[in-house]
């Protein structure tokens, strides 16, 4: 039985050297450990300078995403057993600026996410006294899948377009835009069209489909983007042909 | 697109390492390679369109030009090229139909038609159309 496993971590310590380097750690192989447990072991027992993000340890907070042997993965939901005999190479999520070691800068994504206005935009605010906004199960089903996104950014790392084109708003942001576009309580489509039809919007997607393969929550951003392209193309022609303001409500 | 909605955090850790994508990125995952091949099919489809135009021109010129062109088409090189084009065209069509359910969500009342059924329906219709066209062309 294998007793230990080698972990190669891509480290970036700006005050030490301006470019990343790989560091190897040989850790005991515990049968049920996740990759995140391995990193925690390294930090607690071997090298306290190693930096990485995590929180829930159960695949819901979306903060522990890293490249594991070249594939974007939630490290709390990826197990050492899957990579025997090793070594396992752990790197920060692809395409993101790195702050330190495995910690990426999410500012750019947060900015993009805000652009698509992922919140309910009703035409007019309903007074509280009129009660709740009810939805039928079918109305909920129209967008429910897109609510499952945990902003883990694995889809951004999986997508070569994100890497090649910095302006691309990206898979999760479009899936979350669609989450509101398909919500019966929302009337913000026109404002989101402004962003998604523009440069860097949905039509920058070249349909590689890797985002949906990487997504741990089966959000299917590929599908969200393709469906947007169909809606967006219609809107584009409406805006071109119809008089101003007549296109989208 | 300007995505900056707030000043970036700079106070204690202003440095950022910006990774560069390797030029060979499409070679690094089988799924990327399959994608690039799918995009490449357009070159072969375009090549076939040119061959078709040349065929029309030869047909318009008639007589010797036409029989010369027919001989050219029957050369081993041309036949090989056609086989390659056929291969890419089939691959193109299959990937196209397999992607259909990403854009098309068919809901009948509360029932969502499964993605597989959509793909199969597309492929079956495609095969039927191909057989019909082949039957018309070949039986003449
Ligand atoms: S769409 Fe999926 S992969 Fe992308 S951020 Fe959301 S949960 Fe993560
Ligand atoms: S630690 Fe929360 S998703 Fe992995």
């Amino acid at each position: 039985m294998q007793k230990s496993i080698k972990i190669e971590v891509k480290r970036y310590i700006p005050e030490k050297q301006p470019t990343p380097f790989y560091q190897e750690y040989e850790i005991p192989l515990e049968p049920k450990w996740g990759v995140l447990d391995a990193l925690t072991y390294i930090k607690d027992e071997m090298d306290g300078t190693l930096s990485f993000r995590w929180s829930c340890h159960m695949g819901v907070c979306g903060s522990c995403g890293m490249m594991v042997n070249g594939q974007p993965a939630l490290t709390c939901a990826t197990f050492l057993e899957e990579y025997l005999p090793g070594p396992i190479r752990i790197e920060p999520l692809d395409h993101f600026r790195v702050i330190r070691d495995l910690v990426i800068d999410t500012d750019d994504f947060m900015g993009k996410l805000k652009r698509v206005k992922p919140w309910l935009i009703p035409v007019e605010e309903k007074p509280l006294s009129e009660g709740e906004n009810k939805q039928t199960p079918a109305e909920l089903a129209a967008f429910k899948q897109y609510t499952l996104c945990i902003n883990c950014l694995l889809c951004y790392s999986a997508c070569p377009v994100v890497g090649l084109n910095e302006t691309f708003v990206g898979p999760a942001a479009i899936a979350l835009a669609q989450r509101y576009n398909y919500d019966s309580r929302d009337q913000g489509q026109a404002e989101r069209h402004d962003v998604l039809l523009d440069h860097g919007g949905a039509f920058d997607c070249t349909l590689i489909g890797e985002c949906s393969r990487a997504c741990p929550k089966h959000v299917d951003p590929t599908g969200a983007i393709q469906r947007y392209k169909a809606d967006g193309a219609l809107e584009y022609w409406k805006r071109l042909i119809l008089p101003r303001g007549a296109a989208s409500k | 697109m300007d995505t900056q909605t707030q000043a970036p955090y700079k106070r204690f850790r202003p440095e950022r390492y910006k990774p560069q994508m390797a030029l060979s990125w499409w070679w690094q995952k089988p799924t990327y390679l399959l994608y690039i091949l799918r995009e490449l099919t357009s070159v072969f489809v375009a090549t076939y369109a040119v061959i078709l135009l040349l065929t029309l021109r030869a047909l318009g010129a008639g007589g010797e030009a036409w029989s010369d062109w027919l001989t050219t088409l029957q050369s081993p090189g041309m036949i090989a090229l056609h086989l390659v084009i056929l291969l890419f065209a089939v691959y193109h069509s299959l990937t196209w139909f397999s992607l259909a359910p990403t854009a098309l969500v068919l809901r009948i009342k509360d029932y969502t038609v499964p993605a597989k059924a959509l793909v199969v329906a597309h492929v079956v219709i495609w095969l039927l159309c191909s057989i019909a066209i082949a039957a018309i062309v070949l039986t003449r």
Side-chain angles (χ1 to χ4, degrees), chain A residues 62 74 109 148-156 171-173 175-176 211 214-221:
Chain A
L74 293 180
F109 165 71
L148 301 179
C149 173
I150 56 172
N151 292 4
C152 65
L153 303 181
L154 301 195
C155 52
Y156 282 69
L176 286 163
C211 52
C215 177
K217 295 289 158 188
H218 309 291
V219 172
D220 189 15

Side-chain angles (χ1 to χ4, degrees), chain A residues 36 53-65 73-77 150 152 216-217:
Chain A
L36 183 60
R53 281 200 187 102
W54 65 279
S55 175
C56 71
H57 218 302
M58 49 190 263
V60 289
C61 73
S63 51
C64 68
L74 293 180
T75 47
C76 68
I150 56 172
C152 65
K217 295 289 158 188

Side-chain angles (χ1 to χ4, degrees), chain A residues 25-87:
Chain A
Y25 302 93
E26 183 91 22
I27 62 152
L29 178 63
E30 290 287 337
K32 294 294 170 223
W33 270 5
V35 173
L36 183 60
D37 299 306
L39 291 172
T40 311
Y41 179 86
I42 295 171
K43 189 167 177 74
D44 289 351
E45 310 291 337
M46 303 169 81
D47 184 354
T49 67
L50 182 66
S51 302
F52 54 95
R53 281 200 187 102
W54 65 279
S55 175
C56 71
H57 218 302
M58 49 190 263
V60 289
C61 73
S63 51
C64 68
M66 295 166 210
M67 305 303 288
V68 181
N69 282 358
Q71 290 284 347
L74 293 180
T75 47
C76 68
T78 307
F79 296 89
L80 298 184
E81 294 181 315
E82 299 166 34
Y83 299 94
L84 293 182

Side-chain angles (χ1 to χ4, degrees), chain A residues 98 105 115 158 206-207 210 223, chain B residues 2 16-17 31-32 35 38:
Chain A
V98 183
D105 186 344
R115 298 258 141 187
T206 59
L207 191 38
E210 197 68 11
Chain B
D2 172 26
R16 293 289 182 272
Y17 174 73
T31 43
Y32 291 168
Y35 155 75
R38 186 192 86 204

Side-chain angles (χ1 to χ4, degrees), chain A residues 162-175:
Chain A
V162 169
L164 294 166
N165 168 2
E166 269 202 73
T167 60
F168 181 40
V169 67
I174 302 177

Side-chain angles (χ1 to χ4, degrees), chain A residues 7-10 22 35 39 64-75 78 83 88-96 102 104 153-159 210 214, chain B residues 28-29 32:
Chain A
I7 309 276
E8 301 169 358
V9 185
K10 190 173 189 179
Y22 287 91
V35 173
L39 291 172
C64 68
M66 295 166 210
M67 305 303 288
V68 181
N69 282 358
Q71 290 284 347
L74 293 180
T75 47
T78 307
Y83 299 94
I88 305 176
R89 179 167 274 219
I90 305 174
E91 297 161 307
L93 281 179
D94 264 357
H95 312 324
F96 288 94
L102 301 164
I104 54 155
L153 303 181
L154 301 195
C155 52
Y156 282 69
S157 270
C159 175
E210 197 68 11
Chain B
Q28 286 163 359
K29 266 189 211 175
Y32 291 168

Side-chain angles (χ1 to χ4, degrees), chain A:
Chain A
M1 239 294 274
Q2 195 178 338
K3 285 252 159 45
S4 66
I5 188 163
K6 198 185 284 167
I7 309 276
E8 301 169 358
V9 185
K10 190 173 189 179
R11 304 208 53 189
Y12 168 59
I13 308 174
E15 68 270 21
K16 212 165 134 186
Q17 72 175 66
T19 46
F21 57 95
Y22 287 91
Q23 191 163 346
E24 283 183 10
Y25 302 93
E26 183 91 22
I27 62 152
L29 178 63
E30 290 287 337
K32 294 294 170 223
W33 270 5
V35 173
L36 183 60
D37 299 306
L39 291 172
T40 311
Y41 179 86
I42 295 171
K43 189 167 177 74
D44 289 351
E45 310 291 337
M46 303 169 81
D47 184 354
T49 67
L50 182 66
S51 302
F52 54 95
R53 281 200 187 102
W54 65 279
S55 175
C56 71
H57 218 302
M58 49 190 263
V60 289
C61 73
S63 51
C64 68
M66 295 166 210
M67 305 303 288
V68 181
N69 282 358
Q71 290 284 347
L74 293 180
T75 47
C76 68
T78 307
F79 296 89
L80 298 184
E81 294 181 315
E82 299 166 34
Y83 299 94
L84 293 182
I88 305 176
R89 179 167 274 219
I90 305 174
E91 297 161 307
L93 281 179
D94 264 357
H95 312 324
F96 288 94
R97 287 184 171 76
V98 183
I99 300 176
R100 187 184 179 92
D101 293 344
L102 301 164
V103 179
I104 54 155
D105 186 344
T106 59
D107 279 1
D108 184 59
F109 165 71
M110 290 303 174
K112 286 173 174 169
L113 185 59
K114 251 189 208 172
R115 298 258 141 187
V116 303
K117 309 200 173 176
W119 51 79
L120 286 178
I121 306 177
V123 168
E124 54 191 74
E125 211 68 58
K126 207 169 85 167
L128 218 52
S129 56
E130 279 179 36
E132 58 276 76
N133 290 302
K134 288 189 179 144
Q135 269 182 328
T136 64
E139 281 170 337
L140 175 66
F143 66 85
K144 176 147 187 244
Q145 176 186 10
Y146 304 135
T147 68
L148 301 179
C149 173
I150 56 172
N151 292 4
C152 65
L153 303 181
L154 301 195
C155 52
Y156 282 69
S157 270
C159 175
V161 179
V162 169
L164 294 166
N165 168 2
E166 269 202 73
T167 60
F168 181 40
V169 67
I174 302 177
L176 286 163
Q178 290 289 66
R179 178 252 170 273
Y180 290 92
N181 281 340
Y182 290 142
D183 191 321
S184 59
R185 300 163 296 182
D186 179 87
Q187 276 95 34
Q189 289 94 327
E191 291 172 49
R192 294 189 200 99
H193 280 313
D194 291 343
V195 178
L196 294 180
L197 285 176
D198 203 357
H199 294 289
F203 287 92
D204 283 21
C205 161
T206 59
L207 191 38
I208 300 169
E210 197 68 11
C211 52
S212 290
R213 285 187 281 270
C215 177
K217 295 289 158 188
H218 309 291
V219 172
D220 189 15
T222 309
I225 299 172
Q226 295 323 299
R227 290 177 72 191
Y228 178 78
K229 283 180 184 169
D231 302 344
L234 201 67
E235 173 71 14
Y236 173 85
W237 286 106
K238 274 193 203 159
R239 286 185 179 191
L240 210 65
I241 294 163
L242 297 179
R244 255 185 108 71
S248 190
K249 328 126 255 173

